[in-house]
Amino acid sequence: MIYREAIARWVSACAQAAIVGCTGIMLLICSEGSAVPLFDTTTLHAEAIATLALAETGAGMKKCPVSAHRA
C-alpha cells in the first residue's frame, strides 16, 4: 500500500513519527504494527474540541475518552 511504503521510507530517513493529515487515510492504514507513532489529525482535533467545549461548560475533563483507543 502506498501509505505504508511512504511511512517506511520516512522511517528509513530517520522519521520518529508520522502525521496522518487526511481524514480517510486512517481508514486505510492501522497504527498497530507501525514502526513509528501515527498522529491522526481528525482525532487530535476532535479531542481538542471536546476538551474545550467541556471546559467552557464547566464540566471539565482531564482526558478525552476519544484518546482511549490510542496506544
Side-chain angles (χ1 to χ4, degrees):
M1 174 172 288
I2 192 166
Y3 297 114
R4 287 252 178 237
E5 292 169 5
I7 293 169
R9 283 194 309 272
W10 299 334
V11 169
S12 69
C14 298
Q16 296 178 3
I19 297 172
V20 182
C22 180
T23 338
I25 295 175
M26 284 306 286
L27 298 173
L28 300 172
I29 61 175
C30 180
S31 60
E32 293 177 13
S34 178
V36 294
L38 302 179
F39 294 96
D40 177 14
T41 57
T42 302
T43 300
L44 295 172
H45 286 123
E47 289 176 346
I49 291 166
T51 300
L52 179 63
L54 290 171
E56 287 180 358
T57 63
M61 190 167 150
K62 291 186 180 177
K63 188 167 183 172
C64 183
V66 176
S67 63
H69 75 278
R70 283 199 271 155

